[in-house]
Amino acid sequence: NLFKVAGGCGFISLQDYKDNFYACPKCGKGEYLSVEEHIEKICDKNTFREIEGDLSFKKMLNGDFYNIFSYKDTLIKTKEKSFSNEGLVSGTAKINGKDIVLVISDLRFFGGSFGAVFGEKFKRAVDFAVENKQPLISVCSSGGARMNEGPMSLAQMAKMNMALLDLKNEGL
């Protein structure tokens, strides 16, 4: 029942490793949690409800935007390995009975990188939090801007920062 933490200080019990959110309680080294594991560890049991789970380029722009090269095919294949249709999962949940809005980067989706749909999902989650006066919790493990989408993905940084300013101005 001992577990060797990659890059860690040695062997620890597997249960201690799991109880410490997949990190060594001595040195802090560990692994990334999946979206499902984050939800399980953060939220009250069975309270997470995904919002905007079906958001896509097709829904946002009323058509396919990225038909270039093999990116469209790569997106389809990536969706099959991931919890979500995009690198960000957003939803509502409860923590100790309190309503919250939760956004989590999905490392299994292009390393959690952000693109146009990711940025729009984030903005809509913040807007939902502001509208419903709920705190927003963001679990970020992003791989940066998605180079497949070029300048459009970089523009998402400004969009997400402006949305966070709205959240700050509301005191949430």
Side-chain angles (χ1 to χ4, degrees):
N1 270 352
L2 291 180
F3 181 78
K4 172 84 169 120
V5 180
C9 61
F11 290 93
I12 60 171
S13 83
L14 185 56
Q15 192 59 50
D16 286 347
Y17 183 67
K18 287 180 179 178
D19 290 346
N20 200 50
F21 303 101
Y22 297 88
C24 175
K26 298 173 188 166
C27 68
K29 296 281 185 184
E31 300 172 20
Y32 289 106
L33 298 174
S34 69
V35 171
E36 301 92 330
E37 290 167 327
H38 277 297
I39 291 168
E40 179 187 331
K41 299 269 184 200
I42 294 170
C43 305
D44 293 351
K45 191 173 180 99
N46 298 320
T47 62
F48 182 80
R49 301 289 175 261
E50 189 172 8
I51 54 176
E52 302 291 352
D54 63 342
L55 189 61
S56 65
F57 282 116
K58 196 173 207 81
K59 187 174 178 185
M60 281 174 44
L61 303 171
N62 200 22
D64 287 330
F65 183 76
Y66 288 108
N67 285 321
I68 57 170
F69 309 114
S70 62
Y71 183 52
K72 185 176 178 183
D73 295 333
T74 306
L75 279 173
I76 292 167
K77 289 177 186 171
T78 303
K79 288 176 187 180
E80 293 169 0
K81 298 185 293 188
S82 176
F83 178 85
S84 167
N85 290 328
E86 183 51 50
L88 185 78
V89 174
S90 59
T92 60
K94 292 184 183 290
I95 296 178
N96 294 329
K98 182 170 178 57
D99 291 324
I100 57 113
V101 176
L102 179 65
V103 294
I104 305 169
S105 300
D106 187 352
L107 279 172
R108 290 179 290 184
F109 198 100
F110 282 107
S113 62
F114 57 87
V117 177
F118 183 115
E120 185 63 22
K121 281 181 82 168
F122 187 89
K123 183 189 180 315
R124 290 181 185 193
V126 171
D127 291 347
F128 185 91
V130 168
E131 183 180 315
N132 292 285
K133 304 285 188 224
Q134 294 175 354
L136 176 103
I137 297 173
S138 175
V139 180
C140 181
S141 49
S142 175
R146 196 171 303 153
M147 62 191 214
N148 310 67
E149 296 185 21
M152 186 177 278
S153 68
L154 288 174
Q156 302 314 305
M157 288 193 297
K159 178 192 278 189
M160 292 185 289
N161 279 318
M162 293 306 294
L164 288 173
L165 188 58
D166 293 341
L167 195 69
K168 180 182 178 187
N169 288 339
E170 288 294 321
L172 298 168

